Each structure stands twice: as C-alpha cells, then as structure tokens.
Amino acid sequence: MRFAMLVTAALLAGFAAPAAATPGGRETVSVQIDHARVIRLPERTQTVIVGNPIIADVTVQRNGVLVLTGKSYGVTNLIALDGAGQLLAESMISVQAPSESVVVVQRGLDRESYSCTPHCQPSILLGDANKFFGETSAQAQQRNSFATGR
C-alpha cells in the first residue's frame, strides 16, 4: 500500500463517534489533541491522504484499520483512494482542546494549563505561555531521560 496524507467520511463509518454533517455534506469527526481514534478504512483502500499533517496524523494498521491522532488544533480532511486513484471516502477532521480535567490559568496575557486528575499538575498545551511551556516540557523530557536511562 502507498500512503500520503488526507481524510474521508466513509473511513469513519466503522469506529468513529457520531459525526456532524458539514454544509458540503461531508461528516466531521472530532478528536482531542494528543488523543487517538481508531477508524476502519473502506475496502480496497490503497492510499490515505491527510490534508494537513500538522493538525492530524494517521498510521495504517493491518486489516484495514487506521489510527488517527490529533496533533494540533484545527480542521483538516482525510481521503481514501483505491488502487486506480478513485475516491472511496472523504471526511473532515476537527482537532480540539481537551475539555475534561483541564484547568487554564490566565496571568495577564500568559496562559498556563493544568491537568487536574484529581490533583492539579502542569500540563502543557498549545497556546500556553512560552516560559511555562518551555520549563514544563524541559522537566518532562528530563524526567523521561531519567526513566529510560538515556
């Protein structure tokens, strides 16, 4: 199989949560940033295209299963093509901020995000202040290197 980047509505029929129809008739599937969703590909899919791989990423597994991962906030599309290049399915993908257990602290123009599950701890999200984002991600990377011995 050959894989490029894009999304489709028929792709999402198997595993996707209820999707909203867009004015163009395509369905929109929502996924949270840093979360994944499992989708069944249409039969005969040979090429999968993601319109903007900065917003969403896909990994094709065996047996026609695709894993969709939200990478950045925004909307893009997903397309599935057969071996002859014919369109099999197309969907819109909406990547959104997490809504559960996240507290956002606004300090003037600077924003900080905390995951409160149940105790609040720093949790970087796109849009957080550069200083907070940098310090928190540096600590996470350092902790990970200690844990993995690298």
Side-chain angles (χ1 to χ4, degrees):
M1 279 190 187
R2 188 183 89 200
F3 300 102
M5 304 267 192
L6 223 277
V7 181
T8 62
L11 291 175
L12 308 170
F15 290 106
T22 62
R26 292 184 281 187
E27 292 184 5
T28 298
V29 175
S30 296
V31 63
Q32 288 183 4
I33 192 168
D34 298 331
H35 284 74
R37 172 162 270 157
V38 176
I39 298 169
R40 176 135 338 255
L41 291 166
E43 289 185 30
R44 303 183 342 262
T45 298
Q46 292 294 311
T47 302
V48 177
I49 304 164
V50 175
N52 187 342
I54 294 171
I55 294 174
D57 191 20
V58 294
T59 304
V60 178
Q61 305 294 313
R62 288 184 283 218
N63 300 323
V65 172
L66 177 132
V67 178
L68 169 70
T69 305
K71 295 292 196 178
S72 181
Y73 307 122
V75 177
T76 190
N77 63 324
L78 178 70
I79 296 171
L81 304 174
D82 67 12
Q86 296 296 313
L87 178 68
L88 296 174
E90 182 173 5
S91 294
M92 297 303 296
I93 302 298
S94 174
V95 179
Q96 303 169 353
S99 56
E100 298 175 10
S101 305
V102 174
V103 172
V104 175
V105 176
Q106 196 72 40
R107 300 179 193 277
L109 296 176
D110 293 338
R111 187 184 93 179
E112 299 173 0
S113 300
Y114 295 86
S115 176
C116 300
T117 55
H119 304 290
C120 294
Q121 300 293 328
S123 174
I124 57 173
L125 289 176
L126 293 175
D128 284 342
N130 287 336
K131 185 176 188 295
F132 177 80
F133 191 97
E135 290 173 356
T136 303
S137 61
Q139 285 181 1
Q141 288 172 353
Q142 185 176 18
R143 183 177 186 279
N144 187 48
S145 68
F146 289 150
T148 60
R150 294 184 259 195

